[in-house]
Amino acid sequence: MKLIVQIPCFNEEATLKQTIQEIPRVIKGIDSVEVLVIDDGSSDRTLEVARQAGADHIICHTRNKGLAATFTTGLMESLRLEADIIVNTDGDNQYPGNKIPELIQPIIEGSADITVGDRETRKLQHFSKTKRILQKLGSWGVRKLSGVEVADAVSGFRALSKDAAININIVSKFSYTIEMLIQAGEKKLAIQSVVTGSKKTDRSSRLFKSVPQFLFLSGVTAVRVYTMYRPLRVFSKLGLFFILVGIVPIGRFLFLYLNGDGDGHIQSIIIGSILIVIGCFVVIAGVLADLIGFNRKLLEQILILERKRSLTMDFKEKYHDKKNEENDD
């Protein structure tokens, strides 16, 4: 069984060496451990440090594409390298490498498809009280949207089985953490939280400039992905809201009319009718979006089958090349 630890990097020359060196190379139940560094267009010595630190594989983006794209590049390359389990960690060394064996154990045992490292942010002294509260609320919101029980929804320290990696298709540009969980919940993948803790990092996040920006981008991502997978539920509730609001002024007019005071309140009928029509159109839009969603699911199934076919072809080519080399000897 092969484990590949992928490290998305952007200007991580100061911490990458330690991150790689702390990754255990011998793990019970794993035949080989390899390190894959994905350099997302770094302008510093990240690439050189990765080579010197002993990374087994390195991929470079010609320009910075963002964390979500870099994560996806790592997944696809890890699958091409025949990984059975893929661990994602950060290049800033905030996640403890010695916890990787515990992180992947549920996948080895077959009780989970994806595991997510729980930093236990409520215990981290280097996290402000506000940040701990926001993390707790954010994880609660993601649990409600995804239907999966995960203690630390935005933790980047996570492991995936080969089948889970094949089934995940990240389309967000901001980050992969929330979208992966919503997708995994929709696709009925088994997810477990594993307590791993976290280390203090000296630099600020390069993913966002401020906490409000992070909250806004994370919220937009969560709503967009949830709507993509469950459009009928979202649009139906929104449409029903408009319809119920529209009933209020119409009801007001009818009440006044039955009591002999209907004159001069025709605007209530107009406003209520407009709101009800808007609500009906929103519901119709939800039905159409749901039909489009079925088409998207079919395309996803085709994509997954193509990935499996491609991986099978790569394996056969390598097997035949190895046989030819043995025959030549």
Side-chain angles (χ1 to χ4, degrees), residues 8 13 20 48 72 79 114 208 216 218 256 283 295:
E13 65 175 4
I20 294 175
E48 182 181 344
T72 300
L79 289 172
I114 298 173
F208 54 91
F216 174 75
S218 297
L256 294 173
V283 172
N295 185 58

Side-chain angles (χ1 to χ4, degrees), residues 18-35:
Q18 186 177 358
T19 301
I20 294 175
Q21 290 178 342
E22 289 185 4
I23 295 172
R25 293 293 186 143
V26 178
I27 299 176
K28 184 178 180 181
I30 299 296
D31 299 314
S32 66
V33 179
E34 297 177 2
V35 175

